[in-house]
Amino acid sequence: MDRITIFDTTLRDGEQSPGASMNVDEKLLLAKQLEKLGVDVIEAGFPIASEGDFAGVKLVSDKIRGCQVAGLARASRTDIDRAWQALKGGADPRIHTFIATSQIHMQHKLQMEPNAVLEQAVAAVRYARTLTSNIEFSAEDATRSDIDFLVKIFTAVIEAGARTINIPDTVGYTVPREYFSLIKSIRERLPNGGDGIVISVHCHNDLGLATANSIAAIQAGARQVECTINGIGERAGNSSLEELVMALRTRPDNLAYETGIVTTQIYPASRLVSQVTGIRVQPNKAIVGANAFAHEAGIHQDGVLKNKATYEIMTPESIGLPQNSLVMGKHSGRHAFQEKINDLGYELEAQQIETAFIAFKKLADKKKEVFDEDIDALIADEIIRIPNYFKLNFVSVKSGTVAMPSATLEVEVEGESRHGAEFGDGAVDAVFKTIKQLTNTGSRLLTYEVKSITGGADALGEVTVRIREEGLTVMGQGAHTCVVVASAKAYMNALNKLEYKKRNRPQVTV
Ligand code: KIV
Ligand code: ZN
């Protein structure tokens, strides 16, 4: 079987999803899970974009040893130098440099003539080659570019030292048959038929065709696919890793290609990405959606009870979806808890396990049964959503049919403790008003959602808020058995993300 390189760009293109943002610790946590998942390359960010992006790429590159770590750079010395500073401590660092090649991008965005674009691309790759031999070159908007120009630029950058050439469908415009022909023609026209060069594809999902296009490209000779967990990414997202990998695994009769992905780590990875970014997976999402293995119709249920294969083309176990998993309770000890979090796919440091265990014990005192989803929420709250600027110390509310709703809070603003109280249209409104006043922030609440994580009156309530300030939108989440506390946590989480984004506003975007 031919081996397909899986290039995961959840931490770079995925982070460009509207509302998503990841701080450096979150990037490292995700990178560890991607390493466990068995991806070949992690694209950790765009180092020139901001200080935060630089720090994220550096941290991931310094810590991850099991896969290559890539950093994105425009085709310029300044970008490449910055990327290399972040990457150079890595085990097998890759410089990923790009420039747009379509007429519309060259004329309107770059305002450059094709020859100048070609020269800039070659100069960039030649320069990158003085730093490493692991160079990828992308022709942005390739699917709307002239094929003769693509062949010319790819031939030139290969000559200059690029080892991987990427042919992105940047705007999700192509269709499978057309993409197949494009990839095949480029491959045939490369020096030595592209021998020794990896052809890569990078598909966006604007027409819902990203996975189909990636598969067509593989059939035409591409051997690297760029994708993201849960398909998150710019606009409608990127090709989804889990869809591609499970398609190859489920149809080897038709698609005789293998990957290094440990498929049982797919579900934990999906859940972690969702927890970190705050972007929920739609229930009908292929492979990882809540309904992907649910059978509603009576005839289907009957069939599945008789033989699962009647309606299931892959097993939930194969993606690591926990089956009949052990419910935890207040008598569960440290060892059982640690096993549980390992089963759920978390890779935590000793101190983080201890913090999570203390929170678990508190929760188990309130709730008879602690389900996997409760543990996810608890880890998200205690480990993932670490407050960097604003911290909630306590919240207390007065509300009901007779009292005028009010909230009293103590928060820390970069270590300085502040108290305050406000009235509101309800308990949650009073909490949000108090937080705004204490943190001296003026964000607008766009959406507020509350859902119960598991069943029962003692269930954890999970609140998701979207807030906007200074043109930046972020999502925040919080969970607690009391929805008012969950709301306060969600709002504080959003404010932390907003502050991080404000301080790391990208100077450059792709
Ligand atoms: O979509 C795109 O073209 C990109 C490139 C930078 C690879 O993300
Ligand atoms: Zn992209």
Side-chain angles (χ1 to χ4, degrees), residues 107-384:
Q107 186 179 339
H108 297 284
K109 186 180 83 172
L110 300 176
Q111 298 176 334
M112 284 170 77
E113 290 299 323
N115 269 345
V117 167
L118 186 129
E119 272 170 29
Q120 191 164 321
V122 171
V125 172
R126 207 170 273 146
Y127 179 61
R129 185 67 187 84
T130 63
L131 306 168
T132 175
S133 60
N134 192 353
I135 302 162
E136 170 170 338
F137 171 78
S138 284
E140 192 191 5
D141 205 18
T143 51
R144 294 191 300 169
S145 303
D146 174 65
I147 185 163
D148 294 333
F149 184 57
L150 284 177
V151 171
K152 198 165 159 188
I153 201 163
F154 285 140
T155 305
V157 294
I158 288 170
E159 173 77 11
R163 232 164 58 179
T164 300
I165 56 155
N166 186 32
I167 309 173
D169 183 26
T170 303
V171 290
Y173 179 70
T174 198
V175 292
R177 198 200 284 236
E178 178 188 68
Y179 203 38
F180 177 94
S181 304
L182 179 73
I183 305 297
K184 186 164 177 285
S185 310
I186 291 176
R187 184 167 62 90
E188 286 166 356
R189 292 173 61 184
L190 288 179
N192 304 321
D195 227 21
I197 295 300
V198 177
I199 295 183
S200 167
V201 288
H202 173 115
C203 296
H204 280 267
N205 206 26
D206 299 65
L207 293 172
L209 292 171
T211 304
N213 286 334
S214 302
I215 291 174
I218 290 175
Q219 290 171 318
R223 288 294 173 266
Q224 174 176 288
V225 175
E226 303 195 353
C227 44
T228 60
I229 304 290
N230 298 340
I232 63 166
E234 193 77 63
R235 305 183 309 280
N238 288 59
S239 182
S240 136
L241 180 146
E242 61 277 8
E243 290 174 17
L244 175 85
V245 168
M246 291 312 284
L248 301 186
R249 188 180 188 272
T250 308
R251 297 303 309 274
D253 52 328
N254 226 278
L255 301 166
Y257 309 99
E258 60 179 15
T259 68
I261 296 296
V262 181
T263 62
T264 49
Q265 289 298 328
I266 285 180
Y267 188 70
S270 161
R271 209 169 30 191
L272 190 59
V273 167
S274 176
Q275 301 277 22
V276 166
T277 58
I279 302 175
R280 291 227 176 101
V281 175
Q282 77 197 55
N284 59 324
K285 165 82 180 61
I287 320 293
V288 290
N291 296 347
F293 293 92
H295 305 279
E296 184 72 16
I299 295 175
H300 289 210
Q301 288 177 349
D302 181 53
V304 170
L305 285 173
K306 288 174 177 146
N307 180 344
K308 284 191 173 181
T310 50
Y311 287 98
E312 278 182 6
I313 58 166
M314 55 201 148
T315 65
E317 293 85 354
S318 64
I319 63 151
L321 192 72
Q323 299 294 296
N324 307 320
S325 73
L326 207 65
V327 177
M328 310 279 287
K330 67 175 180 188
H331 300 298
S332 310
R334 201 178 247 95
H335 184 68
F337 179 71
Q338 187 159 347
E339 288 222 329
K340 168 63 83 183
I341 55 177
N342 288 346
D343 285 353
L344 291 174
Y346 294 106
E347 190 70 38
L348 303 183
E349 315 267 324
Q351 185 49 50
Q352 293 175 317
I353 296 174
E354 196 50 35
T355 309
F357 183 66
I358 294 168
F360 160 73
K361 280 290 180 189
K362 269 195 206 154
L363 181 64
D365 273 342
K366 285 192 208 145
K367 237 179 145 265
K368 229 170 64 207
E369 295 178 311
V370 179
F371 297 95
D372 291 355
E373 293 84 345
D374 296 322
I375 295 178
D376 280 336
L378 176 155
I379 290 186
D381 250 25
E382 299 293 330
I383 312 292
I384 300 174

Side-chain angles (χ1 to χ4, degrees), residues 58 101 152 266 483:
K58 180 157 172 35
T101 51
K152 198 165 159 188
I266 285 180
V483 288

Side-chain angles (χ1 to χ4, degrees), residues 317-486:
E317 293 85 354
S318 64
I319 63 151
L321 192 72
Q323 299 294 296
N324 307 320
S325 73
L326 207 65
V327 177
M328 310 279 287
K330 67 175 180 188
H331 300 298
S332 310
R334 201 178 247 95
H335 184 68
F337 179 71
Q338 187 159 347
E339 288 222 329
K340 168 63 83 183
I341 55 177
N342 288 346
D343 285 353
L344 291 174
Y346 294 106
E347 190 70 38
L348 303 183
E349 315 267 324
Q351 185 49 50
Q352 293 175 317
I353 296 174
E354 196 50 35
T355 309
F357 183 66
I358 294 168
F360 160 73
K361 280 290 180 189
K362 269 195 206 154
L363 181 64
D365 273 342
K366 285 192 208 145
K367 237 179 145 265
K368 229 170 64 207
E369 295 178 311
V370 179
F371 297 95
D372 291 355
E373 293 84 345
D374 296 322
I375 295 178
D376 280 336
L378 176 155
I379 290 186
D381 250 25
E382 299 293 330
I383 312 292
I384 300 174
R385 298 174 200 141
I386 336 150
N388 11 15
Y389 311 103
F390 308 116
K391 185 168 168 248
L392 177 70
N393 282 350
F394 76 74
V395 51
S396 157
V397 289
K398 216 188 253 170
S399 185
T401 47
V402 285
M404 173 120 169
S406 66
T408 307
L409 275 91
E410 183 184 280
V411 302
E412 274 173 43
V413 179
E414 302 204 50
E416 178 206 328
S417 136
R418 298 180 185 174
H419 297 82
E422 286 285 338
F423 290 105
D425 281 341
V428 172
D429 183 50
V431 166
F432 288 179
K433 276 189 178 147
T434 317
I435 292 178
K436 272 189 182 176
Q437 179 236 319
L438 292 177
T439 55
N440 204 12
T441 52
S443 53
R444 195 156 57 87
L445 180 67
L446 300 179
T447 56
Y448 171 85
E449 259 179 70
V450 56
K451 75 164 194 176
S452 101
I453 290 184
T454 48
D458 63 355
L460 278 180
E462 186 176 59
V463 173
T464 306
V465 295
R466 267 175 67 237
I467 61 170
R468 187 166 174 82
E469 195 181 320
E470 295 178 16
L472 300 169
T473 305
V474 291
M475 264 178 280
Q477 287 181 315
H480 198 270
T481 45
C482 163
V483 288
V484 174
V485 180

